[in-house]
Amino acid sequence: MIFLFRPSIASSSHRQTMTAEETNRKKIKRKRIVLATALVAAAATGAFAQQAPVQLSSAIQSEILSVLPSADLSNLTNSQYAQIVSFFAASENTRTPSDISGGVKAILSNAQ
């Protein structure tokens, strides 16, 4: 005799929880990829020229400028670029406009 085991179907709330967890994992994975790409780009730029200007993505720039309209993002050092990209990759840093403003101000004031 062959017995087939059929797992019970999970409740819809369980499926929604799993979907939310999967979505959260995908967001984290996407942020890690963006961060890794940005850090590699910053490192590669530094290898070619120590103070070559680096450009943030338009999404990060617009988010910074919406909170700090007077922020000068034109002459970022490689270190500042990497710090800003890392800052935006961590969602706990960008929960409120004051979090963004404080973090970016601190990074921009530390010219390295």
Side-chain angles (χ1 to χ4, degrees), residues 5 27 32 36 57 72 74 77 99-100:
F5 176 76
K27 284 181 182 178
R32 286 180 181 167
S57 72
D72 181 14
S74 59
T77 65
D99 290 344
I100 296 171

Side-chain angles (χ1 to χ4, degrees), residues 75-85 107-111:
N75 293 319
L76 295 176
T77 65
N78 292 331
S79 175
Q80 288 172 322
Y81 172 82
Q83 288 174 358
I84 289 173
V85 171
I107 293 168
L108 293 179
S109 66
N110 293 329

Side-chain angles (χ1 to χ4, degrees), residues 64-103:
I64 291 171
L65 293 175
S66 71
V67 178
L68 293 169
S70 62
D72 181 14
L73 304 174
S74 59
N75 293 319
L76 295 176
T77 65
N78 292 331
S79 175
Q80 288 172 322
Y81 172 82
Q83 288 174 358
I84 289 173
V85 171
S86 297
F87 178 81
F88 277 89
S91 61
E92 66 270 4
N93 293 335
T94 58
R95 289 188 180 141
T96 66
S98 62
D99 290 344
I100 296 171
S101 135

Side-chain angles (χ1 to χ4, degrees), residues 10-25:
S11 68
S12 63
S13 63
H14 179 67
R15 276 187 248 141
Q16 289 174 350
T17 302
M18 292 302 291
T19 304
E21 289 173 9
E22 289 172 359
T23 302
N24 194 26
R25 281 190 216 126

